[in-house]
Amino acid sequence: MDLRETGQDTTPAARHDGGMHHLDAIDSHTGGEPTRVILAGFPDLGSGPLAERRRILELEHDDFRAAIASEPRGSDPLVCAILTPPVDPTALTGVLFVNNVGTLGMCGHGMIGLVHTLSSLGRISTGTYRIETAVGVVPVECHGDGSVTVENVESYRFKAALELEVPGAGRITGDVAWGGNWFFITHDVPVPLVRPNLAALTAYAAAIRQALGTAGIRGAGDAEIDHIELQSPSPTPGVDARNFVLCPGMAYDRSPCGTGTSATLACLAEAGRLPPGVVYRQESFVGSVFEAAYRPGTHGIWPRIRGRAHLTAHVHLVIDPADPFAFGIP
Ligand code: PYC
């Protein structure tokens, strides 16, 4: 199958029978964080730029987003990667990322999951490819050992050492950075980044996000800062840092977060704390690790993130319009 011609509604699986809607998907996880690649059955999003298709998805097909990503068919941490034909003639495919509450610009763990999925299906072999996203074309490498490298979009620190008053937590300091999504990154962590503290860390990160909104602090182009990244040293030998990333919604990233690691590298690079080409190991809240490095860019850095995904299921999703929760639980 020529991936460049992949249109969601053009395959036999994309059919309605008696009002039922069918979608073909492959599930995987990258460092514990799930990805669902939608191969066929998603509504047609047109042939415009991917940023425009993302907007069409948000405005016209949010019900299908909720159907594939949210309960009862999906789950809070799940990110779906919807294949769509690319505009860029050098790209293998286009992809739009969505989760339980909306769309994402880029998704590092999702991109690793997508490349591993295409490789597992025999649609690509080892080598380098380019994949178009709503925020730019992303070169990827599918390695012979099963790992995947993603050269993410150019990433940069937008605001350094920003002070923020967080109700219940006091004054904290953090950076605002772009890594394909918008992040607030802080080392002010009230409790250790360990599993028994999950509820406290989730509440703290959610309070930071709320405080950013209340203070009117946003990313470039007035974008919402919807990812909160807490960073601390890691107790694991050879690992540079452990993070806890609250994604849009209330789920935390089980992986080390590819876009969050990119944003972190941008901050470290700008602070002069990580030279180009030096490998940085970012550990997630559940102990999975991404290896990362960067090369300098014009406005920031070009991060390279390497990780590994594993398949978990071949899925045939069915949406029954008679189901009161066909499009998620409101
Ligand atoms: O890996 O970039 C990432 C990511 C974003 C949200 C969940 N994972």
Side-chain angles (χ1 to χ4, degrees), residues 48-70:
L50 264 70
E52 187 180 303
R53 281 183 235 175
R54 177 185 182 183
R55 195 87 190 109
I56 291 170
L57 196 164
E58 286 170 348
L59 293 175
E60 297 174 18
H61 301 295
D62 195 58
D63 52 350
F64 272 87
R65 176 203 56 76
I68 60 173
S70 299

Side-chain angles (χ1 to χ4, degrees), residues 102-294:
T103 64
L104 297 167
M106 228 306 275
C107 179
H109 95 266
M111 188 61 92
I112 292 169
L114 167 58
V115 173
H116 180 69
T117 295
L118 295 177
S119 164
S120 302
L121 290 174
R123 294 187 182 185
I124 59 170
S125 49
T126 55
T128 55
Y129 302 91
R130 288 162 58 79
I131 298 184
E132 191 167 359
T133 75
V135 293
V137 175
V138 173
V140 297
E141 184 168 357
C142 179
H143 299 281
D145 67 357
S147 65
V148 173
T149 295
V150 175
E151 179 158 325
N152 196 9
V153 296
E154 191 170 18
S155 303
Y156 60 95
R157 183 164 71 175
F158 182 60
K159 282 186 182 137
L162 192 95
E163 296 216 331
L164 181 72
E165 187 65 35
V166 181
R171 187 161 283 267
I172 68 164
T173 306
D175 292 345
V176 175
W178 168 254
N181 294 301
W182 281 102
F183 286 81
F184 181 83
I185 303 171
T186 183
H187 291 80
D188 289 336
V189 174
V191 289
L193 303 187
V194 292
R195 306 275 279 281
N197 292 333
L198 173 60
L201 292 165
T202 303
Y204 175 66
I208 293 175
R209 188 165 57 200
Q210 174 83 39
L212 288 167
T214 306
I217 297 167
R218 298 176 75 84
D222 202 32
E224 184 190 354
I225 301 166
D226 53 5
H227 290 71
I228 308 300
E229 180 166 358
L230 313 180
Q231 283 278 13
S232 78
S234 165
T236 310
V239 167
D240 293 281
R242 174 181 291 174
N243 69 12
F244 173 91
V245 176
L246 185 70
C247 299
M250 292 302 282
Y252 73 94
D253 196 335
R254 278 71 171 158
S255 87
C257 193
T259 52
T261 301
S262 301
T264 297
L265 288 190
C267 295
L268 290 171
E270 220 177 289
R273 291 175 48 211
L274 185 70
V278 172
V279 174
Y280 169 90
R281 290 182 181 80
Q282 177 71 63
E283 183 181 49
S284 74
F285 190 59
V286 305
S288 49
V289 174
F290 284 165
E291 284 190 355
Y294 74 87

Side-chain angles (χ1 to χ4, degrees), residues 44-103:
D44 185 27
L45 298 168
S47 56
L50 264 70
E52 187 180 303
R53 281 183 235 175
R54 177 185 182 183
R55 195 87 190 109
I56 291 170
L57 196 164
E58 286 170 348
L59 293 175
E60 297 174 18
H61 301 295
D62 195 58
D63 52 350
F64 272 87
R65 176 203 56 76
I68 60 173
S70 299
E71 292 180 5
R73 248 172 247 91
S75 65
D76 285 1
L78 177 66
V79 170
C80 295
I82 302 165
L83 294 188
T84 187
V87 176
D88 185 318
T90 67
L92 170 76
T93 183
V95 64
L96 293 171
F97 293 106
V98 303
N99 75 353
N100 60 326
V101 294
T103 64

